[in-house]
């Protein structure tokens, strides 16, 4: 038997409907005890993984890059493509936006919140938040959303819905 011939054991994580790539990568990394740079090495993509977590998609991920990521995270490349922007849609990587009412229903960051022209949640008719409603700290990148709360005052994202204004 060859030493090191086995494939590394991976805890599989499925992307949620509408979830952003940044949020998915953060969940996958935490489940598998990986840093961004370690995942970059495993995929052969290097620092590109870290750029994607920050919503820097210029140049846009190629099919080959998605296939490389898919082989490590064990998710179909087409499913990973769903975590990105649709063709013809532009996005704003900052500020990170959130609909706390949506987050209360399904705790994940949705890619549509970062669309350039998206200022409100169509589902709840609420303006998207760009900072904590308690301490006004801007939201970190979704890959870093470990507990679903403000990293400074620890207010849960789901409870911020009470202070969201109607769109």
């Amino acid at each position: 038997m060859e030493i090191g011939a086995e494939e590394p054991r991976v805890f599989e994580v499925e992307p949620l409907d509408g979830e952003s790539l940044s949020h998915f990568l953060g969940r996958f990394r935490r489940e598998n005890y990986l840093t961004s740079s370690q995942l970059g090495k495993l995929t052969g993509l290097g620092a590109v993984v870290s750029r994607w977590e920050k919503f820097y998609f210029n140049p846009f991920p190629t099919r080959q890059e998605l296939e490389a990521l898919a082989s490590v995270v064990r998710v179909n490349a087409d499913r990973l493509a769903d975590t990105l922007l649709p063709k013809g849609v532009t996005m704003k990587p900052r500020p990170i936006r959130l609909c706390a009412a949506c987050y209360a229903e399904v705790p994940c960051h949705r890619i549509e919140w970062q669309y350039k022209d998206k200022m409100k949640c169509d589902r709840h008719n609420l303006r998207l938040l760009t900072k904590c409603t308690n301490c006004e700290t801007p939201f970190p990148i979704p890959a870093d959303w470990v507990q679903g709360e403000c990293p400074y005052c620890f207010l849960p994202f789901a409870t911020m819905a009470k202070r969201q204004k109607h769109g």
Side-chain angles (χ1 to χ4, degrees), residues 3-161:
I3 295 176
E6 282 186 39
E7 280 207 20
R9 187 158 169 81
V10 171
F11 294 105
E12 294 183 19
V13 175
E14 278 294 314
L16 302 168
D17 287 339
E19 183 175 22
S20 68
L21 183 61
S22 175
H23 194 262
F24 168 73
L25 290 173
R27 288 191 312 116
F28 178 84
R29 287 192 302 94
R30 282 187 294 282
E31 188 68 27
N32 287 282
Y33 302 96
L34 295 170
T35 65
S36 209
S37 61
Q38 289 170 326
L39 182 56
K41 283 179 187 167
L42 285 174
T43 60
L45 296 170
V48 167
V49 171
S50 178
R51 293 183 83 251
W52 290 349
E53 287 185 358
K54 296 176 180 105
F55 293 117
Y56 296 141
F57 297 129
N58 190 6
F60 199 76
T62 65
R63 181 68 187 188
Q64 187 177 3
E65 290 171 326
L66 290 178
E67 294 283 353
L69 179 61
S71 70
V72 172
V73 301
R74 303 207 175 126
V75 170
N76 182 295
D78 291 331
R79 186 73 179 93
L80 288 176
D82 290 342
T83 65
L84 298 168
L85 305 164
K87 288 239 185 282
V89 174
T90 55
M91 73 173 298
K92 259 185 104 161
R94 298 290 176 283
I96 299 300
R97 294 184 245 185
L98 163 76
C99 173
C102 284
Y103 193 88
E105 295 168 0
V106 179
C108 82
H109 179 270
R110 288 161 183 68
I111 188 63
E112 70 182 67
W113 297 337
Q114 295 306 128
Y115 294 174
K116 186 178 180 183
D117 298 329
K118 181 72 79 171
M119 294 297 150
K120 70 172 188 145
C121 171
D122 297 330
R123 179 176 164 84
H124 298 101
N125 197 31
L126 295 171
R127 280 195 225 150
L128 295 176
L129 300 171
T130 59
K131 55 190 173 186
C132 175
T133 58
N134 183 50
C135 69
E136 299 192 356
T137 299
F139 297 121
I141 61 168
D144 294 340
W145 291 7
V146 178
Q147 300 293 334
E149 63 189 17
C150 174
Y152 298 95
C153 74
F154 308 108
L155 182 69
F157 292 158
T159 63
M160 293 181 192

